Amino acid sequence: MAAYVAGLNEKPFRAKQLMQWIHQRGVSNINDMSDLAKSFRATLLDKVEVLSLPVIKDEHATDGTRKWLLDVGAGNAVESVFIPEDDRGTLCISSQAGCAVNCRFCSTGRQGFSRNLTAGEIIGQLWFAEHLLRNDPNAIRRIEEYPTPGWEHTGRVISNVVMMGMGEPLLNYDNVVTALRLMLDDKAYGLSRRRVTVSTSGVVPMIDRLAQDCPVALAVSLHAPNDQLRDQLVPLNLKYPLRELLAACERYLPFAPRDFLTFEYCMLDGVNDSDIQAKELVRLLANIKCKVNLIPFNPFPESGLKRSSAQRIHAFASILLDAGMVATVRKTRGDDIAAACGQLAGDVVDRTRVRERAIHENQIKLDEEADAKVDADDLDLDEEEQEPEYQSERSVQWLKKLDD
Ligand code: SAH
Ligand code: SF4
C-alpha cells in the first residue's frame, strides 16, 4: 500500500489511512473515506475498487456456523467458514483453490490443485466476513456475550483466524505471509499471534521460514504415528518424513506464540485409531511440547473412509491423556452445510477428477482373509513388538484396497 501510494505521489501516511479505512472500518466506498483529500479520492476513484471475492453461496448451519462459497474465476471456488463459540468467533479461511497434497481423507485434496490465491484473495476473506458479520444483528449480539478481555471494545466479530480451509498454506508461502501480516497489523485487524493459526501438512522448509518471517500459532496435520501409514494418508510424507517434520516442529517451538504446538489427527475407522497406534503416537511425540487435537473424520461421498466411533475416539484420547499428554477432540461444526474440516470442496468446481477417483463403498470393505495372511512369524520381533508392525501393515493394506 505504501508503494502504491508513493507511486501516486502521496505522502506515506495516506497508506496508513487507507489501510484503516479498508481493513479496520470495512469501508469500500472511496467517497466515504472522509479524511482523505478530495483530489486523492478522485484519483483513487479513477484507479481502484475495494472488492472481495464474489459470493456464490451463503449458507447458515443450525449451530450458527456460516459458510461462504467464493468465486475465484475460471470455474473455481473456495470456501470460508465462520464458527461462533461462546468465547470466540473463528474464521477458517482458504489459501489455495484445490490442493496438490492430495491427502487420502480430504475432499479438497481429492479435487486436485487449481491455483494459489493472491494475498488479496486471502485477506479478502477476512475483510468480507468481518465486515459483513459486524452488521449482522445475531453476530453483534454474540460480541456482547464474549468475555474475551478487550475484544468487545474493538467491536470485532472475528477473534481468531485459522488457515484450515482449502489448500496447503505453506505451499503458497509468500501470499500467505503477506495476508498473515495484515491480520496481525494494528492498522488492519490487530489479531494477536496466538489467535492466528497456520495448519500445515508438513512442508518442512517453510516451517523454518515461517518461524523467521511471521511466527503465528502452528498446527501440524499428523494423522499417523509412523511413516508407513503417513506415506499413505499424507503423500507429502514421502518427501518430508516424520523424523524431519518433528525436527522442524522442535525448531519452531522457540518462536511459537505459545510454548506448545498442535498436532491434528483425523480419526479414521480401522485405519489410524487403534490402541496400539495411540501408544505409538505417545512414543512419537514424547519429546515435544504439544497438544493433540483429534478430529473425527468428516465423510464425503467419494472417500470410502469412515469416521471412528465416539467410543474409539474416547479410548484413543484416554491413552494419550493417561500418558500425560494434552489431547482434545474437535467438535464437528456446520455438519448440515458440509462446512466441517475437509469437506470444503467448492461445489461449482469441475469435479471430473473426483468422479474418476470415486470408489464404491462395497469395493473397499476390509477383506479379512487377505488381512489374515499377514504372517506375524515373518517378523523377527518379540510378541510385544509384533503388534504395532502388524497393525500398521493392516492399515496400509486397507488403504491399498481403496486404490484398487
Ligand atoms: N492443508 C492444511 C490446512 C487445511 S486442512 C493441512 O492439511 O493442515 C485443515 C485440517 O482438516 C487438517 O488437519 C486436515 O488434515 C483436516 N481434514 C482434512 N480433511 C478432513 C476430513 N475429511 N475430516 C476431518 N478432518 C479433515
Ligand atoms: Fe491439502 Fe490439507 Fe487437504 Fe491435505 S488435508 S489435501 S494438505 S488441504
Side-chain angles (χ1 to χ4, degrees), residues 288-348:
I288 184 157
K289 278 194 92 177
C290 64
K291 178 178 103 175
V292 177
N293 192 205
L294 302 175
I295 314 174
F297 170 60
N298 293 307
F300 54 97
E302 306 86 1
S303 76
L305 295 160
K306 293 202 187 84
R307 176 186 291 186
S308 307
S309 69
Q311 295 93 311
R312 186 84 298 272
I313 297 175
H314 186 259
F316 195 95
S318 300
I319 290 173
L320 305 186
L321 294 169
D322 289 348
M325 295 179 73
V326 181
T328 51
V329 179
R330 189 175 293 176
K331 259 190 291 175
T332 298
R333 301 292 305 267
D335 244 357
D336 49 337
I337 55 168
C341 306
Q343 290 182 318
L344 309 183
D347 288 351
V348 297

Side-chain angles (χ1 to χ4, degrees), residues 105-106 163-165 167-169 199-201 221 223 264 266 295-298 300 341-342:
F105 46 82
C106 173
M163 303 267 343
M164 294 184 185
E168 167 47 57
S199 174
T200 180
S201 54
S221 294
H223 310 308
E264 293 156 288
C266 178
I295 314 174
F297 170 60
N298 293 307
F300 54 97
C341 306

Side-chain angles (χ1 to χ4, degrees), residues 35-247:
D35 60 0
L36 301 185
K38 270 208 176 123
S39 57
F40 183 40
R41 271 188 262 165
T43 312
L44 289 175
L45 279 170
D46 213 30
K47 293 181 186 297
V48 298
E49 269 184 299
V50 184
L51 289 173
S52 61
L53 295 166
V55 179
I56 301 170
K57 224 196 261 178
D58 177 351
E59 290 176 273
H60 298 245
T62 46
D63 66 3
T65 299
R66 190 130 169 216
K67 180 171 90 165
W68 297 278
L69 181 67
L70 306 167
D71 189 356
V72 295
N76 290 309
V78 297
E79 291 174 322
S80 308
V81 181
F82 175 67
I83 307 143
E85 283 173 275
D86 291 345
D87 61 345
R88 70 186 74 173
T90 302
L91 188 71
C92 176
I93 63 181
S94 297
S95 56
Q96 299 180 310
C99 182
V101 179
N102 194 16
C103 298
R104 211 45 209 250
F105 46 82
C106 173
S107 167
T108 307
R110 304 307 275 175
Q111 97 187 23
F113 173 69
S114 293
R115 70 167 175 88
N116 281 331
L117 299 189
T118 64
E121 288 168 334
I122 298 169
I123 201 69
Q125 296 169 62
L126 176 56
W127 180 81
F128 161 77
E130 170 65 35
H131 300 297
L132 180 109
L133 292 169
R134 256 185 223 180
N135 296 317
D136 174 334
N138 292 324
I140 286 170
R141 206 166 42 245
R142 275 188 224 106
I143 296 176
E144 286 153 8
E145 289 158 11
Y146 288 139
T148 311
W151 182 32
E152 61 274 27
H153 306 301
T154 68
R156 282 201 305 254
V157 180
I158 293 163
S159 62
N160 294 53
V161 174
V162 293
M163 303 267 343
M164 294 184 185
M166 295 167 70
E168 167 47 57
L170 296 188
L171 290 178
N172 182 13
Y173 185 81
D174 291 340
N175 293 338
V176 164
V177 167
T178 303
L180 291 174
R181 287 184 174 143
L182 275 170
M183 293 174 204
L184 306 184
D185 193 326
D186 285 340
K187 299 257 164 353
Y189 299 91
L191 298 176
S192 90
R193 292 194 297 130
R194 290 164 169 244
R195 290 178 174 275
V196 175
T197 302
V198 165
S199 174
T200 180
S201 54
V203 191
V204 165
M206 297 304 166
I207 293 177
D208 286 322
R209 281 187 64 189
L210 192 68
Q212 299 304 321
D213 295 340
C214 195
V216 293
L218 188 68
V220 175
S221 294
L222 205 59
H223 310 308
N226 58 59
D227 283 321
Q228 196 192 15
L229 180 58
R230 195 164 190 270
D231 285 349
Q232 304 285 323
L233 291 175
V234 185
L236 193 66
N237 197 65
L238 293 160
K239 194 159 183 194
Y240 304 116
L242 281 171
R243 197 171 45 83
E244 287 178 34
L245 175 57
L246 293 179

